[in-house]
């Protein structure tokens, strides 16, 4: 099954390249759509949910370019596989935890996924590596246009695309950028940045989106308003503020290097040391330490590691990924041991060296 | 239902959509006032659906007025206004038309605008009303079957088939 191959790979959006990829992890576009002929999800019975699935399946399969899309029946998946897709950001927590017929179509490069029967009938998501909002929007717009030729979306002359929650009505568009901001956190300037962003009508969230705490200094910035502005204006609104934050983060990093290089180097080296030698480690601690190491690489304080390796470790050390890679279901304690071993193997590896020696 | 904070009847049903899970609060008028003013403290928070809704419904609005509003029911999907404001989710696209009076100030609060200026579907607009009608017919057919009114159910089924063509 193609789905299992995902575990070994990393996904296009984490390849660690693309504009500003030392600070910008990924750019994401999400569009919410509903079919006019079905009630919104909250009022759907199982027959409606299946009808929605079938309507989208027929539409998607009739697009020639989409023949290679991988269709995963989320309702029929074991919970570890659902968790795996959440960790990879291919489906939302809401889709994973819902009940009843629901599925996702994923492209082989993992640049986009089409979630069926989430909070809305369709949530399409495009993810690109680095700061790349315009082309992510272009791709999402194309997908939407193809589907629009085949199905009737719920649309109101004045209010635009109709959604289950009034916070998404109009464009149904959420433009998000995931940023790595460790220096703003260390210099305690992050709160100030958040307050300014909120004043501008932008939302800030932690690594796993809505409601989650920021872990490992990763923050997601997105638009709040979806009605009254065009899609291009919303993309521009988010796109214009990101370079300013990138600049703040760079200034904070430069300040740290200049004013407290020793402390910074110590912090980074300790993080690296723990990751290389710990015998058991939680996913939360891993995330925090990898965050320091990632910054250390970008500042030239660690020479023999590359960003794509770290990006891969962020994903592969999360609970479901670790278990899929190991091919075993593990309790928390065993996972912590397994995670430490995985980190040791992949961080101590030098070019030409066999990682098995460290097992 | 009793207020979560005191013994009075709960007349405000607030769903907070800011956390990972929607949080429901059932409060009386007095406790709702306190709850919402707490949310107002400090820097202006981003508008939450619940807070905006509750403010729009004017605290102090007579309970029977609110009860009347709560009973309004969309003829297409059958959702009541009470269900919407306690769950924070609408039932079908017709709700935007049926509850327009209540939703307009809410949309204005959330988005600062009430008119879409973005992309329009090239293909789907004309058929929307007929498609919405399908939601009502399917619901009524299901209800007719449940009431064992098979004659009506068959009539509705034929209407659905005609519309689906």
């Amino acid at each position: 099954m193609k789905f299992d191959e995902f575990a070994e790979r990393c996904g296009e959006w984490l390849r660690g390249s693309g504009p500003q990829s030392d600070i910008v992890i990924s750019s994401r576009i999400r569009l919410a759509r509903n079919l006019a002929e079905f009630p919104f999800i909250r009022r759907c019975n199982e027959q409606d949910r299946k009808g929605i699935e079938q309507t989208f399946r027929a539409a998607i399969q009739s697009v020639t370019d989409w023949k290679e899309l991988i269709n995963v029946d989320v309702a029929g998946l074991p919970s570890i596989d659902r968790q795996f897709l959440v960790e990879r950001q291919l489906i939302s927590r809401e889709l994973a935890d819902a009940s009843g017929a629901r599925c996702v179509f994923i492209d082989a490069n993992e640049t986009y996924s089409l979630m069926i029967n989430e909070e809305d009938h369709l949530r399409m998501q495009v993810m690109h590596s680095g700061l790349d909002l315009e082309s992510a929007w272009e791709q999402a717009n194309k997908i939407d246009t193809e589907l629009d030729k085949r199905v009737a979306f719920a649309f109101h002359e004045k209010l635009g695309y109709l959604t289950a929650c009034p916070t998404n009505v109009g464009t149904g568009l959420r433009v998000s950028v995931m940023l790595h901001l460790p220096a703003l956190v260390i210099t305690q300037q992050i709160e100030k940045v958040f307050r300014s962003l909120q004043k501008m009508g932008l939302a800030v969230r932690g690594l796993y989106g809505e409601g989650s705490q920021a872990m490992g200094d990763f923050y997601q910035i997105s638009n709040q308003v979806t009605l009254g502005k065009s899609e291009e204006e919303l993309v521009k609104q988010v796109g214009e503020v990101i370079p300013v934050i990138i600049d703040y983060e760079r200034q904070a990093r430069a300040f740290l290097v200049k004013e407290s290089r020793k402390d910074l180097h110590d912090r980074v080296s300790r993080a690296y040391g723990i990751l290389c030698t710990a015998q058991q480690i939680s996913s939360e601690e891993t995330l925090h330490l990898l965050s320091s190491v990632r910054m250390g690489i970008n500042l030239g304080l660690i020479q023999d590691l590359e960003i794509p390796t770290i990006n891969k470790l962020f994903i592969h050390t999360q609970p479901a990924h670790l278990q899929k890679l190991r091919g075993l279901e593990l309790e928390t304690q065993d996972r912590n041991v397994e995670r430490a071993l995985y980190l040791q193997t992949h961080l101590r590896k030098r070019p030409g060296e066999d990682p098995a020696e460290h097992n | 239902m009793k207020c979560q904070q005191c013994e009075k009847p709960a007349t405000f049903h607030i769903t907070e959509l800011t956390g990972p899970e929607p949080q429901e609060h059932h409060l009386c008028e007095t406790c709702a006032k306190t709850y919402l003013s707490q949310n107002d403290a400090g820097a202006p928070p981003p508008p939450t659906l619940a807070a905006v809704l509750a403010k729009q419904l004017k605290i102090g609005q007579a309970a029977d007025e609110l009860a009347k509003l709560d009973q309004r029911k969309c003829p297409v999907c059958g959702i009541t206004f009470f269900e919407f404001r306690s769950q924070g989710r609408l039932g079908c696209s017709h709700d935007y038309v049926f509850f327009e009076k209540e939703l307009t100030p809410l949309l204005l609060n959330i988005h600062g605008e009430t008119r879409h200026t973005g992309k329009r579907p090239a293909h789907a607009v004309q058929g929307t009303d007929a498609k919405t009608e399908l939601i009502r017919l399917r619901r009524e057919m299901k209800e007719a079957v449940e009431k064992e009114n098979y004659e009506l159910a068959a009539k509705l089924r034929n209407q659905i088939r005609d519309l689906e063509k």
Side-chain angles (χ1 to χ4, degrees), chain A residues 39-77:
Chain A
F40 293 148
I41 291 295
R42 199 50 85 109
R43 297 294 284 184
C44 278
N45 55 31
E46 193 56 13
Q47 204 182 341
D48 291 329
R49 294 179 78 103
K50 283 185 179 149
I52 295 163
E53 246 192 24
Q54 277 163 11
T55 307
F56 278 117
R57 181 166 287 120
I60 289 166
Q61 286 172 348
S62 75
V63 184
T64 321
D65 290 353
W66 297 355
K67 294 280 182 230
E68 296 299 310
L69 290 188
I70 299 155
N71 181 209
V72 182
D73 170 26
V74 178
L77 278 187

Side-chain angles (χ1 to χ4, degrees), chain A residues 37 40 141 144 148 157 163, chain B residues 91 96 116 119-120 123 138:
Chain A
E37 62 185 281
F40 293 148
N141 192 18
D144 178 57
D148 171 47
E157 273 305 303
T163 52
Chain B
Y96 282 97
H116 175 62
K119 186 176 177 175
R120 313 176 75 77
H123 149 266
R138 286 196 198 114

Side-chain angles (χ1 to χ4, degrees), chain A residues 151-212:
Chain A
V151 299
F153 287 135
F155 186 84
H156 185 280
E157 273 305 303
K158 187 182 158 205
L159 297 175
Y161 291 95
L162 302 177
T163 52
C165 186
T167 53
N168 295 315
V169 79
T171 55
L173 175 69
R174 198 72 65 203
V175 182
S176 312
V177 177
M178 179 85 79
L179 297 159
H180 184 217
L181 305 172
L184 286 174
V185 175
I186 297 171
T187 55
Q188 297 178 335
Q189 292 185 81
I190 198 88
E191 283 295 324
K192 213 166 72 188
V193 174
F194 287 177
R195 279 199 299 275
S196 334
L197 287 170
Q198 282 189 348
K199 275 186 201 151
M200 284 186 249
L202 297 173
V204 185
R205 302 191 176 95
L207 178 59
Y208 290 106
E210 204 157 346
S212 67

Side-chain angles (χ1 to χ4, degrees), chain A residues 2 8 41 72 80 92 111 144 207 215 252 291 323:
Chain A
K2 281 179 185 170
E8 297 294 333
I41 291 295
V72 182
I80 187 170
S92 62
T111 56
D144 178 57
L207 178 59
M215 298 250 277
S291 168
Q323 293 173 82

Side-chain angles (χ1 to χ4, degrees), chain B residues 78-95:
Chain B
I79 198 175
T80 60
F81 191 70
F82 172 76
E83 281 172 273
F84 163 60
R85 69 186 186 88
S86 57
Q87 298 176 352
R89 300 286 183 275
L90 293 159
C92 75
S93 43
H94 186 69
D95 291 350

